[in-house]
Amino acid sequence: MDEREEYVGMRVNGEVKQVKVAAGEKLLETLRRYGYKSVKYGCGEGTCGACTVLVDGRPRLACLTFTRQVEGREITTVEGLGKFGALHPLQEAFLEEGAVQCGYCTPGMLLAAKALLDRVAEPSVEAIKRGLDGNKCRCTGYGAIIRAVQRAAAVMSGKAGVRGGWRGTRGDGGR
Ligand code: FES
Ligand code: FES
């Protein structure tokens, strides 16, 4: 092994990993090299949110995070969102509400939204806007994304079924 490389231990989507990293390598590059291709490279400088992953349940920009900084931590990517081949309610809701167009922002949005719903079961529109503030979308105008997060919140709190028949009641408010 090159002396400038080292191994870093972490859990990714519940799986223990020892990943080989070059000096100064960022988490975005490491995760993509190990096959977690849902983690997207957008700006590479912390402004778009496309590279958002969860580190111990909190959103973090993988393009700004050195892989060494997450030694021993739990990383969640979209590959770890669904269970047993089923989509996570947020993924279902994004599809139902048409919140996915080109899809480039979607993984980061989903993870930022998951972190929010893990903290607040039924966030207000304002809270959703704040929770997704670091994630930019060029396609949707944000309304469908906000409705999708509301829908997922309703499903996850047992107030609505996964498909059809649900309408956001608090307005999407744009962003
Ligand atoms: S790629 Fe990380 S914030 Fe844009
Ligand atoms: S769906 Fe295209 S950037 Fe959000």
Side-chain angles (χ1 to χ4, degrees):
M1 189 166 102
D2 187 309
E3 63 184 17
R4 289 160 303 175
E5 294 178 330
E6 60 184 322
Y7 283 96
V8 175
M10 63 182 81
R11 286 168 72 93
V12 184
N13 301 328
E15 237 182 280
V16 176
K17 295 272 181 194
Q18 287 285 332
V19 298
K20 190 159 84 171
V21 298
E25 186 170 306
K26 299 289 181 27
L27 184 58
L28 171 60
E29 188 184 336
T30 309
L31 288 171
R32 288 187 58 85
R33 197 175 65 250
Y34 277 82
Y36 302 97
K37 295 286 174 67
S38 70
V39 188
K40 296 288 180 269
Y41 179 95
C43 62
E45 55 187 30
T47 57
C48 74
C51 65
T52 302
V53 297
L54 302 184
V55 177
D56 293 341
R58 291 176 173 266
R60 189 127 156 202
L61 298 175
C63 73
L64 296 185
T65 303
F66 291 107
T67 306
R68 288 178 50 198
Q69 293 176 300
V70 300
E71 170 95 54
R73 316 284 284 275
E74 174 77 42
I75 314 298
T76 305
T77 70
V78 162
E79 285 86 352
L81 265 194
K83 292 275 181 284
F84 311 114
L87 295 178
H88 186 279
L90 272 164
Q91 292 171 302
E92 291 272 10
F94 269 59
L95 292 173
E96 284 282 311
E97 292 293 340
V100 181
Q101 289 188 26
C102 81
Y104 209 78
C105 71
T106 306
M109 287 284 183
L110 287 168
L111 291 169
K114 180 180 188 310
L116 174 65
L117 295 188
D118 286 346
R119 278 187 291 115
V120 185
E122 293 186 82
S124 65
V125 169
E126 281 311 312
I128 295 171
K129 288 182 190 173
R130 278 197 304 277
L132 302 182
D133 193 39
N135 295 76
K136 306 291 180 263
C137 176
R138 293 177 307 182
C139 308
T140 64
Y142 298 102
I145 291 173
I146 291 168
R147 284 194 302 279
V149 176
Q150 289 181 295
R151 175 190 281 266
V155 170
M156 290 165 75
S157 57
K159 294 189 176 156
V162 172
R163 289 196 176 81
W166 182 88
R167 288 285 174 272
T169 53
R170 289 164 288 185
D172 57 44
R175 193 178 81 159

